[in-house]
Amino acid sequence: MSLPKRNEVPVEQTWDLSTLFDSNDAFYAQLEKTIARTKQFNQEYAGTLSDTSKIESALDEYAAIKKELDHLGSYASLLFSVDQTDDTSGKLYSKYVNSYGTIASLLTFVESEILALDTEILNKLKDETPAYQRYLEKLIARKPHQLHPEVEKTLASFSPVFSAPYNLYDTTKMLDIDFGTFSAHGKEIPMSYVSFEGELEVDADTEIRRNAFRKFSDTLKKYENTTAKTYDMVVQQEKIESELRGYDSVIDYLLQPQEVTRELYNRQIDLITTELAPHMRRYAKLLQKVNGLEQMKFEDLKVSLDDTFEPEITVEESRDYIKKALSIMGEDYMQMVNDAYDKRQIDFVQNKGKSTGAFCASPYQVNPFILISWTSKMTEVFVLAHELGHAGHFHLAHQNTNIFDESCSLYFVEAPSTMNEMLMANYLLAESDDPKFKRWVIASIISRTYYHNFVTHLLEAAYQREVYLLVDKGESMTADILNGIKRKVIEDFWGEAVEITEGAELTWMRQPHYYMGLYPYTYSAGLTISTIMSQRILNEGEPAVQEWTEVLKRGGSLPPVELAKMVGIDLTTDAPLKETIAYIGSLIDELEKLTEEIEQHK
């Protein structure tokens, strides 16, 4: 059955964007006001930012404009994300993107003029404006790479062009690719991006799962050259800008805003790909054994250890699970969770043109908005807990920081979300001592939380690093090159434990994170923090929760290493990573023991 159109789905299962704007007309009216306000701001302050009082006054107004832009951008992208087939939403989104280029060019003078000041004056300015101290601190770090004001203005004007490759990728993915149907057991089964990633690639029926993968891969293959060219536009643009700004490499350029050293970045990838691989190969062999597979193939890696034990979860039942798992976070946090359900802040439905995967958008000082495509599987409860982790983080950060400081480094941003997955796991493990239930829970932790964040995204990061190393050498990316890199990364990780089927190399085509800089590796970084912290919460209870809540409140007002230090985690060593990998290994040990126990009592 094909997906319904957006206007055919139950409205109560969609999100309500009226807390941003109650209509498209209201959006357009505000956009015009913001453009006018920005022009006025430019006229009043451009060429005047030389003393503390004037700069502080300008930053107050700049912050207000940024808040308006944040709300406008959120509304435009959220509206478009749930139905990319809708021309009205598409036009509104395009209007915002094009207007943003004009607005951004009018705002570049702020940072250009501040950074034109001598370093001594900048440091004095930072000390005399406590409200913007952190913002100025990060700005000063960029000073060696700041370009001439007119160049910065020109680059800002081109921002709609720089965002075009991602929009082109998303349009190809959501509107042009038609997977049609595939055959299994003599029947024709319809398939879409959503149904493959949400249901078919985890289907317990081997013929359905493998045939779906074959059709999915064969269809992607038809678009590999266009998608590779689209991706190449992104990395070449990043390469050009990194050279213009005087960075030694694209990787250094992309790590700078994350406030992460090259050492931390490389360690995250190298240590996991070498030390986690043996544990995950054991997990693959266990999946093969329990599911009676003659050969373990790439497309079998997401199959359940016990599909018969997998409960069907309704939306309301998910709320009960999440309420019980996250209640330890306190009343304020749980009010945010309840509001997400009660006030239509979650978009649950599946419909044609809706973005795949899941995300949480948190407009500054407005409620969060969570996108998910509900499939009634337990994995979706973990996904929802994950996105509510982002929501809770920014809910607290927005109450305690200004708009410049509310967003933390990408290196830290996945810690609060994966923390909630770990709290869900802790709750479920405490529910029962039944071997089949415990195995199901641990398998869910491995397959959902760790496989997704520590394997899928980490292998994307290893692939991405190889791409940028080639780009730094002046190479362009083609489908053949990208396929070769991806296949080698997968083969090196899984070794002889898994047959890497033809088409597995095309997984680089499925991930939008590549259009967002060095994002994929940060999932494992966040999960390293949350694994250790969740164990502290499990063992210490309320005191550990209070410490974690204080971290969430800080938003991006500290670098990621400092945020982790607030809860006693030292990211400058390999100890947290090794501890997390050892924990994953212990979970797989437990799965093997439980499986043996279950089979003995058959």
Side-chain angles (χ1 to χ4, degrees), residues 405-416:
D405 295 347
E406 56 95 16
S407 187
C408 66
S409 164
L410 276 179
Y411 190 85
F412 190 87
V413 78
E414 295 299 337

Side-chain angles (χ1 to χ4, degrees), residues 3-8 77-91 93 170-177 351-355:
L3 290 173
K5 295 179 180 179
R6 183 69 177 179
N7 60 10
E8 296 171 344
S77 62
L78 291 172
L79 192 69
F80 189 52
S81 68
V82 292
D83 188 4
Q84 296 182 34
T85 67
D86 182 61
D87 286 343
T88 301
S89 299
K91 288 175 182 177
Y93 180 73
D170 215 31
T171 299
T172 303
K173 179 177 175 180
M174 298 310 304
L175 299 184
D176 288 348
I177 299 180
N351 62 259
K352 186 174 176 59
K354 182 176 178 178
S355 293

Side-chain angles (χ1 to χ4, degrees), residues 23 63 109 149 171-172 236 286 304 334 364 504 545:
S23 67
F109 79 89
T171 299
T172 303
Q236 298 304 332
L286 186 62
S304 172
M334 290 312 298
Y364 186 64
V545 171

Side-chain angles (χ1 to χ4, degrees), residues 136-320:
L136 291 166
E137 180 183 284
K138 289 191 285 187
L139 205 57
I140 291 167
R142 282 173 35 207
K143 185 175 173 64
H145 305 285
Q146 185 74 358
L147 302 173
H148 186 280
E150 287 304 312
V151 178
E152 294 288 355
K153 184 176 181 180
T154 302
L155 286 174
S157 299
F158 272 100
S159 57
V161 179
F162 294 155
S163 65
Y166 171 73
N167 294 329
L168 177 59
Y169 162 79
D170 215 31
T171 299
T172 303
K173 179 177 175 180
M174 298 310 304
L175 299 184
D176 288 348
I177 299 180
D178 183 357
F179 294 99
T181 64
F182 68 95
S183 300
H185 303 298
K187 296 180 180 178
E188 289 296 311
I189 302 172
M191 184 167 68
S192 65
Y193 237 112
V194 171
S195 67
F196 177 76
E197 294 190 336
E199 300 173 51
L200 295 168
E201 71 172 340
V202 299
D203 199 292
D205 188 303
T206 301
E207 184 174 337
I208 290 176
R209 185 176 65 253
R210 289 182 176 177
N211 289 6
F213 176 80
R214 180 78 278 126
K215 180 58 182 281
F216 186 81
S217 299
D218 289 347
T219 306
L220 284 185
K221 185 79 175 171
K222 298 175 183 177
Y223 296 85
E224 64 175 350
N225 294 310
T226 300
T227 308
K229 186 57 68 177
T230 303
Y231 179 44
D232 188 54
M233 283 191 280
V234 175
V235 296
Q236 298 304 332
Q237 176 258 315
E238 290 168 335
K239 171 63 175 171
I240 292 167
E241 187 163 348
S242 72
E243 289 182 335
L244 282 174
R245 296 189 180 280
Y247 287 92
D248 292 335
S249 76
V250 187
I251 292 174
D252 291 332
Y253 161 66
L254 295 172
L255 284 177
Q256 194 276 331
Q258 295 183 17
E259 299 180 285
V260 171
T261 65
R262 190 77 169 261
E263 181 188 6
L264 261 67
Y265 169 72
N266 285 327
R267 180 198 297 145
Q268 200 74 30
I269 297 172
D270 295 336
L271 201 63
I272 295 175
T273 50
T274 53
E275 297 198 10
L276 182 63
H279 295 306
M280 294 309 298
R281 290 171 189 173
R282 284 195 293 128
Y283 175 67
K285 286 298 184 185
L286 186 62
L287 283 178
Q288 180 182 355
K289 176 186 174 185
V290 172
N291 285 281
L293 300 173
E294 185 176 333
Q295 176 66 39
M296 187 66 185
K297 299 187 176 185
F298 179 81
E299 58 266 40
D300 301 322
L301 284 167
K302 292 189 178 181
V303 71
S304 172
L305 255 184
D306 189 354
D307 185 67
T308 63
F309 209 78
E310 184 87 10
E312 290 280 308
I313 307 292
T314 65
V315 166
E316 197 52 41
E317 286 169 340
S318 76
R319 180 177 185 153
D320 187 54

Side-chain angles (χ1 to χ4, degrees), residues 90-121:
K91 288 175 182 177
L92 184 145
Y93 180 73
S94 295
K95 175 69 174 177
Y96 170 77
V97 170
N98 293 330
S99 299
Y100 182 83
T102 302
I103 293 169
S105 69
L106 290 167
L107 295 174
T108 57
F109 79 89
V110 177
E111 296 184 356
S112 291
E113 289 187 24
I114 292 174
L115 286 176
L117 300 172
D118 291 338
T119 302
E120 186 179 336
I121 297 172

